[in-house]
Amino acid sequence: MTILITGGAGYIGSHTARLLQQQGRDLVVLDSMEYGQPKAIQGIPLEVGDIADEALVGRICKQYGVTSVVHFAAYKFVGESMEQPHRYWQNNVAGTVALLNALRTAGVQHLVFSSSCSIYGTPEHVPVSESAAIQPASVYAETKAMVERILGWQSELTDFSSVSLRYFNASGAHPKGDIGEVWDRAQNLIPLVMKAALGRSGPLQVRGNDYPTPDGTGVRDYVHVCDLAEAHAAALDYLRDGGKVRAFNVGTGKGYSVLEVLAAAERAAGGPIPHEFAPRRPGDVAAVWGDTTLARTELAWYAVRGLDDIVRTAWNWHLHHPDGYA
Ligand code: WQD
């Protein structure tokens, strides 16, 4: 009854691995360590390698008695995916196909997939529900939509069943303060706010304050990484109990603007955070947050942490680990 966590040495993966370990579940992490952090998964069995290595995945499944998989391993930078699409097709899609081949050979039939709200592109309505149009606006988002479709066919044609979790804006850090997001490549708002707050960068660039939103800045659904970890545990139980293939939005169902995030971060940091207004970021939508009713009814999951938990734990992590795990 071991769970294989691909990409488990990453940001969301390590927080999920810790929770599953605390729940007494047997785990093994497979991570290429291209971006993975060994210190983020201390005490958890780690196999270093590529999800596309079918022989390696087969050996791991046999050796550890793998019965289910949480699949995080993927490249995740929207901008990078538009500059280097081939790497994203190869790793995120072809890599997952090879993983699925190895799992089929090993007889593993349950998988929780790390998907993304970015597959909705610019939604027609907010809050956005799982029935909204799938219209990816980036190669990264397209790879997530493609894998969801492959998983759908797998469940149609075989006994394989999966859950796709469509993350909104993953953020925050573990309350213990010893694991968190590595910010050196981060383009996301909250790590960049913390960099500005800690003087590790210039002023935060508020990208656009002329959006049709209450204060003119972009609105997003920020969900705590520990809430996301709990959603993965709930999804594993859903599959164990015979749940059918589904996709679920995992967010808070509430949107906050950039200026609201900044104000919350200033409360956590105990003072003003340097910032200046800058032009909109190409491709950004004005406002998006999730309708999370389905996860609440089908997974009995909902986010219990709010924006203050996010900025407080992010501040604590970055304040004490300005160089991440180095
Ligand atoms: C948030 C808001 C920016 C940086 C991300 C991931 C995507 C998906 C959802 C997982 C926007 C503003 C940002 C800055 C700013 N997650 N901003 N100054 O674009 O919603 O998407 O979460 O798959 O993959 O990319 O997140 O954090 O980049 O931006 O004003 O320096 O902050 O305009 O309104 P985004 P983000």
Side-chain angles (χ1 to χ4, degrees), residues 43-56:
I44 296 171
L46 168 64
E47 294 274 354
V48 180
D50 193 316
I51 55 171
D53 182 342
E54 294 186 37
L56 172 63

Side-chain angles (χ1 to χ4, degrees), residues 18-251:
R18 173 169 291 188
L19 172 71
L20 296 178
Q21 187 182 50
Q22 286 170 343
Q23 291 179 339
R25 304 190 204 217
D26 294 323
L27 310 175
V28 57
V29 166
L30 169 60
D31 199 299
S32 67
M33 302 314 279
E34 185 178 5
Y35 300 115
Q37 301 290 335
K39 289 183 181 173
I41 47 165
Q42 288 177 338
I44 296 171
L46 168 64
E47 294 274 354
V48 180
D50 193 316
I51 55 171
D53 182 342
E54 294 186 37
L56 172 63
V57 173
R59 192 264 296 161
I60 291 169
C61 289
K62 187 174 173 59
Q63 180 179 334
Y64 292 85
V66 171
T67 51
S68 53
V69 181
V70 184
H71 178 31
F72 291 102
Y75 293 146
K76 65 173 186 178
F77 294 103
V78 171
E80 181 183 68
S81 79
M82 305 300 274
E83 293 155 10
Q84 303 174 41
H86 54 287
R87 291 180 65 232
Y88 279 69
W89 303 134
Q90 184 66 44
N91 188 44
N92 293 11
V93 184
T96 298
V97 170
L99 173 70
L100 293 174
N101 286 342
L103 296 178
R104 187 184 66 250
T105 305
V108 177
Q109 296 183 322
H110 291 174
L111 181 138
V112 178
F113 175 54
S114 168
S115 189
S116 166
C117 69
S118 58
I119 66 174
Y120 298 119
T122 302
E124 306 295 321
H125 306 285
V126 282
V128 60
S129 81
E130 289 83 351
S131 57
I134 304 300
Q135 43 192 11
S138 71
V139 166
Y140 160 79
E142 185 65 59
T143 67
K144 292 299 184 178
M146 289 167 83
V147 169
E148 281 203 23
R149 290 169 66 86
I150 292 168
L151 292 173
W153 277 105
Q154 284 284 92
S155 302
E156 189 78 22
L157 302 173
T158 72
D159 291 336
F160 188 83
S161 60
S162 63
V163 164
S164 291
L165 297 180
R166 296 172 179 171
Y167 307 158
F168 280 74
N169 293 54
S171 44
H174 197 279
K176 199 174 166 202
D178 60 339
I179 59 176
E181 187 173 10
V182 173
W183 66 7
D184 51 3
R185 299 181 74 235
Q187 300 301 311
N188 293 130
L189 178 67
I190 287 172
L192 293 178
V193 165
M194 297 301 162
K195 266 190 177 176
L198 288 162
R200 307 285 293 216
S201 74
L204 171 79
Q205 301 295 295
V206 177
R207 303 298 304 269
N209 65 331
D210 58 350
Y211 284 107
T213 59
D215 64 18
T217 63
V219 174
R220 295 291 186 277
D221 184 336
Y222 297 93
V223 56
H224 197 287
V225 64
C226 290
D227 278 324
L228 287 182
E230 288 167 11
H232 290 77
L236 285 166
D237 293 343
Y238 168 89
L239 290 171
R240 178 202 60 204
D241 300 341
K244 64 185 177 63
V245 62
R246 298 300 286 269
F248 297 102
N249 287 338
V250 279

